[in-house]
Amino acid sequence: MLLAPQAAWAKPIAFADGTTVMHERNTNMLETQAFYAPAYWWSLGPGFVRLTSDDKRTRRDIGYVQFNVLAKRWNLPAAQGNLFAFAGAGTVRSTQAGVPGARRDAVWRYGGQGDYETRSIYTSFKVDGYKAAAFSHRITTAQLGVAPYEHDYEDLATWFLLQARHYTGGLRERSPGVRRIEETLLLRLFKGPVWAELGVNRERHTQFMIMYNF
Amino acid sequence: MNPSVIPALVLLAALVPTAVQAKTIRIEVDGLVCAFCAQGIEKKMKAQPATDKVFVSLEKKVVAVSLKPGQDIADDKLKAEITDAGYVVKGIRRSDESLDDIRKHVKAQK
């Protein structure tokens, strides 16, 4: 019933001594994160995600602190591969239409990501989990992207991506007409420190994300 | 030694280091495929006191650093900074080319 909390960004760590600020929203989700990376292999920061069910009757507000680590990197002459792991903890405030008051729980966040990219192909596989006393969700995301031209650092980079997500814990499969696996077509643009993504899924819900690195 | 040649030698000694001082350093880097990679390395190189300007080419996998007059960055320091940024140095070469010339050459080769 709830749609996924998932920042469709490429890496949880941008670069050493770098700060990443991200905001993403669609009709069912709003998320903001800020991570600082003291070194290229780890980062830490706060985040907030609001999940709203399709029928707008259920809402979960999750505030958390997350730790990200780069477990392994492969630097190749014309490609790069990465393995990330992340974990976090926070609190969730859940409300339900027709039910007075709100429920508060502790929530754990965990996951991992692998990616491989060249200047013309991007692939990633990510598992993102949330666990609380009242719910447990695991969201698996795969992305395949192609660039219509090979950009350089000073150019505008353009990517077209196909994204597939699988949900557990009753996030989508109970909603009539909504597929359990969500497929989204994304346009990704970035230039310098700014990264933006715009997409639409098969239910014609839009998704927008913007990220700034400094 | 003829005392009259001493000023000439002093002048020569002062000029020789300037004559052989490289204007730029070209660093070949593996794993340089995205804007994040370039931004991180650019930030590291710009933080060096001897750095004047930085140019990064994803196409050529090259980081070019123009140096302030009379200054240099040791190879070990360059390797350490690139490694600390998460990438692998494949080669370091010094050049008398200006950074603008390197940029023009890279763009012309596209």
Side-chain angles (χ1 to χ4, degrees), chain B residues 2-83:
Chain B
N2 185 344
S4 65
V5 302
I6 291 175
L9 289 173
V10 169
L11 181 62
L12 188 62
L15 289 176
V16 165
T18 304
V20 300
Q21 181 72 52
K23 285 183 181 174
T24 58
I25 305 173
R26 290 179 61 128
I27 312 162
E28 294 171 35
V29 179
D30 270 1
L32 200 51
V33 294
C34 68
F36 286 173
C37 317
Q39 197 181 347
I41 290 176
E42 183 182 49
K43 189 171 183 177
K44 282 272 187 187
M45 291 296 106
K46 280 185 173 175
Q48 301 305 307
T51 298
D52 182 26
K53 294 176 186 172
V54 179
F55 169 65
V56 181
S57 169
L58 302 178
E59 167 82 21
K60 298 298 174 188
K61 284 49 174 169
V62 162
V63 178
V65 180
S66 70
L67 298 165
K68 291 176 182 172
Q71 298 196 41
D72 199 359
I73 308 172
D75 286 5
D76 288 348
K77 179 68 172 170
L78 291 169
K79 285 180 184 172
E81 292 296 329
I82 300 288
T83 302

Side-chain angles (χ1 to χ4, degrees), chain A residues 67-90:
Chain A
F67 174 72
N68 308 292
V69 63
L70 173 63
K72 177 70 178 172
R73 169 170 286 174
W74 292 270
N75 284 309
L76 306 173
Q80 186 185 89
N82 297 287
L83 278 179
F84 297 96
F86 48 90

Side-chain angles (χ1 to χ4, degrees), chain A residues 54-201:
Chain A
D54 292 334
D55 58 7
K56 311 297 181 190
R57 294 177 61 82
T58 302
R59 195 170 87 180
R60 288 175 181 151
D61 290 344
I62 302 173
Y64 58 87
V65 174
Q66 182 170 317
F67 174 72
N68 308 292
V69 63
L70 173 63
K72 177 70 178 172
R73 169 170 286 174
W74 292 270
N75 284 309
L76 306 173
Q80 186 185 89
N82 297 287
L83 278 179
F84 297 96
F86 48 90
T91 59
V92 54
R93 180 179 182 272
S94 301
T95 56
Q96 179 77 38
V99 178
R103 173 178 176 141
R104 289 181 182 275
D105 289 300
V107 62
W108 299 97
R109 187 169 185 173
Y110 63 91
Q113 175 181 327
D115 61 55
Y116 173 85
E117 65 181 303
T118 69
R119 291 171 58 228
S120 55
I121 294 172
Y122 173 81
T123 61
S124 73
F125 184 83
K126 184 177 183 181
V127 176
D128 199 339
Y130 291 85
K131 189 165 182 58
F135 62 89
S136 176
H137 301 307
R138 189 176 67 250
I139 304 138
T140 306
T141 305
Q143 287 187 337
L144 174 63
V146 293
Y149 57 91
E150 291 190 330
H151 67 281
D152 214 324
Y153 181 37
E154 295 175 347
D155 304 331
L156 172 70
T158 304
W159 290 84
F160 297 106
L161 295 104
L162 183 61
Q163 175 181 282
R165 281 181 178 156
H166 176 260
Y167 308 83
T168 66
L171 286 175
R172 282 171 61 87
E173 63 266 35
R174 289 182 298 176
S175 300
V178 175
R179 295 163 181 261
R180 186 170 184 179
I181 294 178
E182 180 189 31
E183 295 135 337
T184 306
L185 191 62
L186 293 161
L187 170 66
R188 174 183 292 170
L189 302 169
F190 58 87
K191 183 174 173 59
V194 180
W195 173 305
E197 251 178 30
L198 186 64
V200 59
N201 68 12

